[in-house]
Amino acid sequence: MIAAQFLLGGAGKAAAKPVPSQTQTPIALSQLIQKADAALPGGKISYIQFPEDKANKLVIQKSFPE
């Protein structure tokens, strides 16, 4: 089994902290899962790790058969 992660947020390098917006609504978990499926099609979600604070990333891990 191969596992891959889709990270939402950050690009692997230092970035400015996001500024909370009064006009933006949170993205639904179903939409985040759709984004992960589009980025890494064909696998099954094995777990979702929610950030402990707003500075961290949401992690969706998918498993793929070998």
Side-chain angles (χ1 to χ4, degrees):
M1 180 182 301
I2 300 171
Q5 292 183 344
F6 173 75
L7 303 176
L8 183 66
K13 54 184 173 182
K17 288 187 176 183
V19 177
S21 171
Q22 299 295 329
T23 59
Q24 289 182 327
T25 58
I27 300 173
L29 180 58
S30 60
Q31 290 178 307
L32 297 172
I33 290 171
Q34 287 176 347
K35 289 178 181 284
D37 287 338
L40 299 168
K44 291 180 94 175
I45 294 175
S46 53
Y47 80 85
I48 299 173
Q49 177 182 343
F50 292 92
E52 294 180 16
D53 56 48
K54 293 184 183 210
N56 289 322
K57 303 172 187 97
L58 174 81
V59 176
I60 299 176
Q61 180 168 321
K62 297 182 77 176
S63 299
F64 297 87
E66 289 188 40

